[in-house]
Amino acid sequence: MIVPFAVGGPNDILARIVAEKLSARMDKQFYVENVGGAGGSIGMGQGTKAPADGHTILVVPPNLIVNPVLYASVPYDPFRDFDPVTLAVSAKIVLAVHPSVAAGTVSELVALIKSSPSKFSFASPGVGTPPHLVGEQFRLSLGLDLAHVPFSGGAPAVTSTLGGHTPILFCSLPPVIEHIKRGGLRTLAVTSRTRAQALPDAPSMSDAGYPEIEGEGWFAFIVPSGTPAPVKVTLHREIAAILALPDVATRTAALGFEPVASTPEVCAAFFRSESEKWTRVIRTAGITAAN
């Protein structure tokens, strides 16, 4: 099971939870191999070299479909080189502000930014991450003068906003939820079609009146292209069953994940729609990442 990022991140934790359960359920030893670098491209490139025999699985975030647009070159094609197994979980993204920001709703924040050109900036966990792309979608769709300040992960982005250095934050839920509950940050919305289970009082962007601003993090299980259909059916069935287990649901909820467990066909269609949406945002905003 290839994880194209370092040990300890949410991608790695999800993979290890599922690998442990798959090993027990299928009486075969599944193990995780971390292959980090280039925003996940190195590990995903390694996945293209594996035999399509069902013995190699990759656990991937949106970088799968975003990297080919961000980087000048990547060692894989997300649609030609891989077959989807399941979109396993989604991860809500939060729009939050420092308490000093005089806005209690998304509409008030938009009005505040428009009334003060060149004054506001937003923090994100890094260039090309889902929170960054949603922030750019927010900026572009509403014509806002809003600077992006990228960090090397969710924790430093949250720290910057807690300190008031970057008054606005787009971030996935896990690094930020405790600060929201303690009042260190104010949530204005979650940038998804539905509210977050962990923050039921926070409106979705649609609730807030901005349905065109929509995006979230996610993790999917994929296999090398040409993997036999019965193998994909079995993996989908087992992973979906694992995500529904009470102990797994508790562990994934603590990470800010919500189960999806889509079919391979639905997952494939989702990859296409995500690619189209974020390609438009990346190219309009002129976002690039160095190889």
Side-chain angles (χ1 to χ4, degrees), residues 16-193:
R16 292 178 189 278
I17 291 171
V18 174
E20 178 186 358
K21 295 293 186 180
L22 280 173
S23 297
R25 292 173 66 91
M26 301 185 70
D27 197 28
K28 300 287 184 182
Q29 184 60 49
F30 288 73
Y31 67 93
V32 174
E33 180 179 355
N34 297 86
V35 186
S41 292
I42 293 175
M44 289 183 277
Q46 180 169 312
T48 66
K49 302 173 184 177
D53 57 6
H55 289 181
T56 300
I57 306 167
L58 294 91
V59 188
V60 295
N63 302 64
L64 172 74
I65 52 90
V66 167
N67 285 3
V69 190
L70 276 180
Y71 290 87
S73 64
V74 295
Y76 69 92
D77 182 295
F79 305 108
R80 183 190 64 223
D81 293 331
F82 301 109
D83 291 341
V85 171
T86 185
L87 178 64
V89 297
S90 64
K92 304 295 188 187
I93 294 170
V94 177
L95 165 57
V97 295
H98 186 269
S100 65
V101 175
T105 66
V106 178
S107 295
E108 290 175 356
L109 179 63
V110 170
L112 184 63
I113 296 169
K114 288 185 174 181
S115 70
S116 306
S118 303
K119 179 180 177 180
F120 288 94
S121 61
F122 75 92
S124 87
V127 173
T129 60
H132 171 214
L133 298 182
V134 173
E136 292 292 352
Q137 186 185 54
F138 176 70
R139 179 182 69 82
L140 292 168
S141 65
L142 299 174
L144 302 177
D145 187 352
L146 187 61
H148 172 229
V149 182
F151 288 86
S152 59
V158 170
T159 299
S160 176
T161 305
L162 284 170
H165 308 297
T166 45
I168 302 166
L169 172 70
F170 285 88
C171 189
S172 58
L173 200 52
V176 77
I177 188 166
E178 290 304 318
H179 299 291
I180 291 170
K181 291 179 177 179
R182 291 199 295 264
L185 296 170
R186 182 189 307 128
T187 307
L188 302 188
V190 292
T191 66
S192 50
R193 292 189 180 94

Side-chain angles (χ1 to χ4, degrees), residues 265-276:
E265 295 76 18
V266 169
C267 185
F270 178 77
F271 284 173
R272 290 285 182 185
S273 65
E274 285 284 280
S275 177
E276 292 168 3

Side-chain angles (χ1 to χ4, degrees), residues 220-236:
F221 287 75
I222 61 176
V223 290
S225 180
T227 296
V231 172
K232 291 181 284 188
V233 169
T234 298
L235 286 173
H236 170 259

